[in-house]
Structure formats: C-alpha cells, structure tokens
Amino acid sequence: MPTLADGASALNISDAVVAKVGEMLAEENDPNLRLRIFVTGGGCSGFQYGFAFDDAAKDDDTEITKGDVRVLVDAMSLQYLVGADIDYEDSLEGSRFVIKNPNASSTCGCGSSFSV
C-alpha cells in the first residue's frame, strides 16, 4: 500500500459528498450510519467501486471523517483507493458518486469500473 505523508488523508472527500451524504443520513435518521466505499471484482475493467451505508466498523476498516460524514474503507479496498478523490456530481445525465483514482491504470466509460 502506498505510504501517506504525515497528516494526509487516505481519501480526498469533496464538500459535495459531505452535503449529499448528509442529506441521505438525515433521511435515514440513524446517527450510527457511515458511508462505506469498497472495491469488488467485476465490471468491464476488472474491479468496480461500491457504496453502501454501514452502522459498524470492522477490525480492518479505516475511518475518514469530513464534516459530519464518516467514511469506512476496508483494508483490501484501501490499497486500491489510497489518494483517490471522491466526489458527487448532479448533472443532466444523472446523479452519482465519482472516484478519480490515481491507482487505476484504465477505467471504463461509465467510470464505475477500473483496472490496476
């Protein structure tokens, strides 16, 4: 796994993510929920990103906090995501979380799948 500079965050979470996840969490009305970002095998490029809410951290999770939002990433996924920019965009094409991953050697057209 790449080494982080002292004080550097494993992921860069945008203000748009904080705002959108904050809205979603307010609807859920559960203060224990955190946004989990993970990587699984599959997709047209070999790996794909996933997002879900989780109410408990696992032993190998890294937790990143920005504002009122807490993000969980398991150790396996983190090795593929270190240094990634996590953003949320709302456009005419739809609304979605977007990951700009410096570790990906290629991505698919939809942006939800990548290879290393």
Side-chain angles (χ1 to χ4, degrees), residues 12-32:
N12 303 307
I13 300 165
S14 75
D15 292 338
V17 170
V18 172
K20 182 59 180 178
V21 172
E23 289 173 18
M24 295 166 76
L25 290 173
E27 290 175 12
E28 293 295 325
N29 199 25
D30 183 347
N32 295 317

Side-chain angles (χ1 to χ4, degrees), residues 2-108:
T3 306
L4 296 173
D6 287 340
S9 179
L11 299 175
N12 303 307
I13 300 165
S14 75
D15 292 338
V17 170
V18 172
K20 182 59 180 178
V21 172
E23 289 173 18
M24 295 166 76
L25 290 173
E27 290 175 12
E28 293 295 325
N29 199 25
D30 183 347
N32 295 317
L33 288 179
R34 301 167 182 120
L35 177 65
R36 179 173 293 282
I37 302 173
F38 57 94
V39 172
T40 60
C44 51
S45 294
F47 295 100
Q48 58 189 0
Y49 303 113
F51 298 87
F53 284 121
D54 200 336
D55 60 0
K58 296 179 177 68
D59 290 340
D60 71 339
D61 282 343
T62 294
E63 184 169 322
I64 299 133
T65 302
K66 182 164 182 185
D68 293 334
V69 172
R70 296 176 295 168
V71 176
L72 298 174
V73 183
D74 64 89
M76 190 283 298
S77 298
L78 187 60
Q79 68 183 331
Y80 298 110
L81 292 170
V82 168
D85 295 321
I86 314 299
D87 199 5
Y88 180 81
E89 57 181 44
D90 192 2
S91 68
L92 293 174
E93 297 172 358
S95 303
R96 64 185 181 142
F97 289 101
V98 178
I99 297 181
K100 293 179 184 135
N101 188 345
N103 306 302
S105 61
S106 66
T107 60
C108 68

